[in-house]
Amino acid sequence: MSLPEASKVTIETFKFQFRSNYRELLRLIARLPAKEQPEAFKEARNTVRSRKNEEDPQKKLDYFKELASKIGYLRMVTPRRPRDSERGSGRYVIRDGKLVEGDGGSKGSRVADGSISMNEAQERNRRDFKRFFGKDKPSNVFF
């Protein structure tokens, strides 16, 4: 592959990544409160359009870094909607010593609902104590 062909590939890859990040920025702006959205959309569009014809690769890279930082900031400050599923995230809990996908709020094994006996619950408590604190549970605990 000659140099012009190699640079064309990297330019196309950069354009794809930039468009992908720009779309993510717009999705995050859409999650902002309604009164903040119009101004944020306008600022994002105007900034990207004004920098569209930049030729300097270093400035392009700086603009890309700025876009990534804005996305990171918006991920922290925008509220998530329940239907939004973020890539690479999930809810995982440990049940019966195994990591499973689920929610910590759902009911597990409990003596109160009759799903396990009192002896099983005490054994599980001793096992978890050792796992969490690295030593056996003391037999004479007063509190």
Side-chain angles (χ1 to χ4, degrees):
M1 185 182 295
S2 67
L3 184 61
E5 290 174 9
S7 64
K8 183 171 180 150
V9 170
T10 57
I11 290 170
E12 290 304 316
T13 304
F14 175 79
K15 285 181 180 179
F16 173 77
Q17 290 174 342
F18 187 84
R19 283 191 299 263
S20 175
N21 282 0
Y22 179 63
R23 283 191 297 269
E24 185 174 358
L25 177 71
L26 295 179
R27 278 192 295 271
L28 289 168
I29 290 173
R31 289 196 300 189
L32 288 172
K35 62 181 180 180
E36 296 176 20
Q37 283 181 14
E39 184 61 34
F41 276 127
K42 183 179 176 183
E43 179 186 349
R45 275 193 308 266
N46 290 341
T47 302
V48 169
R49 287 177 183 165
S50 69
R51 297 174 175 177
K52 181 180 178 182
N53 297 322
E54 181 61 51
E55 296 297 324
D56 183 18
Q58 185 59 42
K59 282 190 177 182
K60 282 184 177 182
L61 183 60
D62 292 342
Y63 296 156
F64 188 75
K65 288 178 183 178
E66 183 182 340
L67 177 63
S69 70
K70 285 186 185 290
I71 288 171
Y73 174 74
L74 285 173
R75 280 183 187 159
M76 290 186 287
V77 299
T78 55
R80 289 186 183 179
R81 295 176 291 203
R83 66 181 177 267
D84 290 337
S85 63
E86 295 293 326
R87 292 176 293 241
S89 68
R91 294 182 179 176
Y92 296 92
V93 293
I94 295 179
R95 289 225 174 88
D96 299 322
K98 296 179 182 151
L99 185 66
V100 295
E101 189 168 1
D103 191 3
S106 63
K107 291 186 178 181
S109 303
R110 297 188 50 184
V111 172
D113 63 11
S115 60
I116 62 173
S117 71
M118 180 63 89
N119 290 336
E120 290 173 320
Q122 289 173 343
E123 177 56 37
R124 183 175 178 178
N125 183 273
R126 279 190 288 280
R127 187 181 65 233
D128 289 345
F129 189 93
K130 186 169 186 170
R131 186 178 62 166
F132 293 139
F133 299 108
K135 58 184 177 181
D136 289 329
K137 187 174 181 179
S139 59
N140 55 356
V141 177
F142 296 104
F143 52 86

